[in-house]
Amino acid sequence: MDWDKLRIFHAVADVGSLTHAGDVLHLSQSAVSRQIRALEESLNTTLFHRHARGLILTEQGELLFDATSAMARRLDTAEARIRDSEEEVFGELRVTTTIGFGSLWLAPRLSKLYEKFPELNIDLMLDERVLDLPMREADVAIRMKEPSQADLIRRRLMTVHMRLYATPEYLAKRGTPESLEDLKDHRLIYLNTQATQVSAGASLVRELLTYDVTSRLTVNNYFGVLQAMRSNLGIGVLPDYVVEDLKDIQRVLPDVESNEIPVFLAYPEELRQSRRIAAFRDFVTEEIIEQRKRLKAEALQKD
């Protein structure tokens, strides 16, 4: 099979359109169509069903697309390793993590990484779904549990707890609860227990709800919980990393927290020598160390 035809086939199968594939490949629609027709003739099979809505892969087309997808992943890996043989850190780095950690902890800190490596392009994929690193859905992941796949390099970054927080304005108006029983007089804001989340967080919320909490606001991500809590709507159940940089938030019921949640950074074994991975790993580690030092100094000042 002709490699160039396979490249064109893969682009068409990926976007489901001759026109869009032509735009990606900088070819005319007719040129793309000719290459697909020639590939089908060489294989003596039909690769696409033609519909008014676009192109749909046949069973034979699905088989070929699986093969070209595997080839594309291997080429991406080879390109990454070649690029990483250079002295400078540049190119694309695909980072995946949870919506809460990515939007509330990681994204606000990325300016420091860009200052150091301005030619690094980060594709930040925020998703509760665990992307497959060995299959190159992402290059590096930060997750709230240890990855189970054996062919990953992993590093434990820190430990997180779910805790209760509120604004001073809310507590001044509604009073500060002294015990879990007092929660019945407050509105609880928390991540919907049916939403994808760490089991420790859901377990804490279920325990809190046993104390006859009648007024509730559920949200499907921690950013929404934080915004509602900061708008004086009630007491929010949030990961501690969300509020550690916020001076206008007060912890409620300091003895109440979830079981510890380990946070891991992981990446494929084949990217062990990647300079981009190393730069990102070192950046995250340094930020965590700096944050610990600052929190420790603030605690000593209060004492």
Side-chain angles (χ1 to χ4, degrees):
M1 286 182 280
D2 186 291
W3 283 93
D4 199 47
K5 290 185 177 61
L6 289 177
R7 177 177 65 90
I8 293 172
F9 161 79
H10 182 79
V12 174
D14 193 38
V15 299
S17 164
L18 294 173
T19 302
H20 292 159
D23 292 339
V24 172
L25 299 168
H26 304 293
L27 295 172
S28 67
Q29 178 182 347
S30 59
V32 173
S33 180
R34 283 196 302 272
Q35 294 289 349
I36 295 298
R37 194 160 51 248
L39 181 60
E40 289 179 323
E41 290 173 357
S42 69
L43 293 172
N44 194 29
T45 191
T46 301
L47 298 172
F48 294 99
H49 293 301
R50 274 73 173 177
H51 289 273
R53 296 170 302 175
L55 301 177
I56 300 174
L57 286 167
T58 63
E59 182 177 354
Q60 291 78 14
E62 290 280 3
L63 289 172
L64 187 58
F65 185 56
D66 287 344
T68 57
S69 296
M71 290 162 54
R73 286 192 295 269
R74 294 193 63 124
L75 288 171
D76 285 344
T77 299
E79 181 183 15
R81 295 180 72 170
I82 291 169
R83 284 178 176 269
D84 286 330
S85 67
E86 303 291 336
E87 289 296 324
E88 298 181 5
V89 174
F90 67 97
E92 184 181 57
L93 180 67
R94 296 170 298 168
V95 179
T96 179
T97 188
T98 61
I99 296 172
F101 191 84
S103 60
L104 297 170
W105 190 92
L106 180 58
R109 290 170 163 81
L110 286 178
S111 60
K112 296 181 183 179
L113 183 62
Y114 278 116
E115 286 175 8
K116 193 171 183 180
F117 304 109
E119 295 186 16
L120 185 63
N121 300 315
I122 297 174
D123 181 5
L124 187 56
M125 297 177 282
L126 306 184
D127 200 329
E128 304 306 321
R129 181 174 62 94
V130 178
L131 300 187
D132 194 326
L133 297 183
M135 293 298 290
R136 297 306 308 278
E137 288 187 320
D139 299 316
V140 59
I142 298 177
R143 286 294 170 189
M144 305 298 137
K145 65 177 182 179
E146 184 171 7
S148 58
Q149 291 167 301
D151 50 352
L152 295 178
I153 297 172
R154 66 211 67 198
R155 171 182 290 187
R156 183 162 177 163
L157 296 174
M158 61 182 179
T159 297
V160 170
H161 290 89
M162 301 292 298
R163 293 170 175 165
L164 279 67
Y165 300 95
T167 62
E169 292 82 1
Y170 172 84
L171 296 175
K173 181 179 179 180
R174 299 292 298 272
T176 301
E178 301 294 333
S179 67
L180 286 168
E181 287 76 11
D182 293 341
L183 289 178
K184 67 181 185 298
D185 300 320
H186 294 268
R187 180 175 299 109
L188 196 65
I189 309 169
Y190 56 91
L191 196 67
N192 189 319
T193 54
Q194 302 304 312
T196 303
Q197 60 183 298
V198 294
S199 58
S203 296
L204 176 61
V205 168
R206 283 193 288 266
E207 179 186 350
L208 297 174
L209 293 179
T210 63
Y211 289 89
D212 297 325
V213 179
T214 57
S215 185
R216 310 170 187 176
L217 172 62
T218 60
V219 190
N220 67 349
N221 64 71
Y222 288 129
F223 183 77
V225 175
L226 175 65
Q227 293 300 95
M229 183 267 291
R230 296 188 76 180
S231 299
N232 306 320
L233 281 177
I235 297 173
V237 183
L238 287 163
D240 51 16
Y241 66 78
V242 170
V243 301
E244 285 176 345
D245 295 324
L246 303 177
K247 305 302 181 185
D248 59 337
I249 302 301
Q250 184 173 325
R251 188 173 174 188
V252 176
L253 297 174
D255 294 332
V256 176
E257 65 180 16
S258 71
N259 293 332
E260 67 175 34
I261 303 163
V263 180
F264 283 86
L265 182 144
Y267 51 94
E269 172 71 34
E270 63 192 22
L271 295 179
R272 176 185 290 273
Q273 303 302 323
S274 168
R275 297 182 185 279
R276 289 167 298 158
I277 295 283
F280 180 78
R281 179 196 63 213
D282 294 346
F283 155 73
V284 172
T285 302
E286 289 166 6
E287 283 297 305
I288 291 172
I289 292 173
E290 183 63 29
Q291 185 177 39
R292 286 174 182 165
K293 288 180 179 178
R294 180 177 53 78
L295 293 174
K296 185 176 181 180
E298 291 175 356
L300 289 174
Q301 287 179 351
K302 290 180 180 179
D303 294 340

